[in-house]
């Protein structure tokens, strides 16, 4: 069974600094997607960034980037120039490309931004 | 499209009562997921449907939980009888085959409190 692990229940960073959130996963599949979702206090689940496993190039979306290490099954999220609005729960998620379309989530990391 | 719509947003009920949570997926989406979010267990997949048919209900905690999808635009999650340990945020999400790269679209969630 696929599992996703986020080993950092909480993280904090100073405003304008850079922070990295960790995620590891376990799967026997070769083709899959990985996602980072942001959940602010409003509870809305917001897709931040995604990575296709067959792509070697790390995905980037403005201040958000990932470090995808397929062999190590690692998928970390880097937030540069942290802003107060980045404070939220962040969830790492996994989905196979072929077959069951369910999203498997990690436990989440609560990110606090210190002004 | 209005997105995934869940009702109610908040529900407070007494132990032993029946609770019904409702979800309207995005029109045209063929997958529907029910997730439960707690501090201890993060986001757990309870059940998901494809074309209104339940595909995997292995995450349903026990017989007190049941889910139905009578048509493509409506699903319910019912808890009977409810217990305090069922207190959580319940999310409904939907997605479309062939668009796995965008993850899933989530509703605002229902916060359930069982007293």
């Amino acid at each position: 069974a696929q599992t996703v692990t986020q080993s950092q229940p909480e993280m904090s960073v100073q405003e304008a600094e850079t922070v990295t959130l960790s995620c590891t996963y376990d799967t026997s599949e070769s083709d899959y997607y990985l996602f980072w979702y942001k959940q602010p206090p409003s509870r809305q689940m917001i897709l931040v960034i995604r990575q296709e496993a067959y792509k070697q190039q790390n995905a980037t979306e403005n201040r958000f980037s990932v470090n995808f290490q397929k062999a190590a099954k690692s998928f970390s999220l880097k937030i540069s120039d942290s802003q107060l609005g980045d404070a939220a729960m962040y969830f790492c998620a996994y989905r196979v490309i072929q077959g069951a379309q369910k999203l498997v989530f990690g436990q989440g990391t609560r990110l606090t931004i210190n002004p | 499209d209005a997105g995934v719509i869940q009702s109610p947003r908040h529900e407070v009920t007494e132990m032993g009562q029946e609770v019904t949570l409702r979800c309207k997926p995005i029109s045209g989406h063929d997958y529907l997921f029910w997730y439960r979010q707690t501090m201890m267990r993060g986001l757990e997949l309870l059940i998901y449907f494809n074309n209104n048919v339940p595909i995997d209900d292995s995450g349903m905690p026990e017989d007190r939980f049941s889910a139905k999808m009578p048509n493509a635009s409506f699903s319910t999650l019912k808890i009977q009888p409810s217990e305090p340990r069922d207190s959580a945020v319940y999310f409904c999400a939907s997605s479309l085959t062939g668009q796995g790269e965008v993850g899933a679209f989530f509703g605002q969630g229902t916060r359930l409190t069982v007293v």
Side-chain angles (χ1 to χ4, degrees), chain A residues 21-105:
Chain A
L21 308 184
S22 300
C23 173
T24 59
Y25 59 95
D26 186 25
T27 183
S28 57
E29 302 286 338
S30 59
D31 293 327
Y32 47 88
Y33 297 110
L34 295 165
F35 306 90
W36 279 98
Y37 280 86
K38 172 185 177 181
Q39 186 185 45
S42 66
R43 293 205 308 253
Q44 184 65 46
M45 294 288 286
I46 302 166
L47 179 62
V48 174
I49 197 167
R50 69 168 177 265
Q51 175 80 40
E52 293 90 342
Y54 59 86
K55 290 187 177 179
Q56 292 185 336
Q57 186 172 2
N58 289 324
T60 299
E61 290 286 345
N62 300 312
R63 297 182 296 107
F64 298 86
S65 61
V66 300
N67 183 4
F68 173 50
Q69 302 290 329
K70 190 173 184 180
K73 295 180 181 175
S74 171
F75 182 61
S76 61
L77 174 69
K78 185 172 80 171
I79 305 174
S80 304
D81 185 25
S82 299
Q83 300 176 359
L84 295 178
D86 295 333
M89 282 289 288
Y90 285 83
F91 291 96
C92 179
Y94 161 100
R95 171 187 250 180
V96 294
I97 292 179
Q98 297 293 335
Q101 293 293 294
K102 61 185 180 181
L103 276 166
V104 179
F105 286 89

Side-chain angles (χ1 to χ4, degrees), chain A residues 33 35 37 39 42-45 47 50 52 91 95 99-107 110, chain B residues 9-10 31 33 35 37 40-41 43 45 48 56 91 95 100-104 106 108-109 111:
Chain A
Y33 297 110
F35 306 90
Y37 280 86
Q39 186 185 45
S42 66
R43 293 205 308 253
Q44 184 65 46
M45 294 288 286
L47 179 62
R50 69 168 177 265
E52 293 90 342
F91 291 96
R95 171 187 250 180
Q101 293 293 294
K102 61 185 180 181
L103 276 166
V104 179
F105 286 89
Q107 296 287 83
R110 182 174 299 282
Chain B
R9 286 294 307 276
H10 306 275
Y31 279 90
F33 308 88
Y35 286 89
Q37 183 180 11
M40 291 297 295
R41 301 172 73 91
L43 271 163
L45 177 65
Y48 75 99
D56 183 354
F91 283 98
S95 67
E101 73 277 8
V102 301
F106 284 77
Q108 291 280 71
R111 180 176 293 281

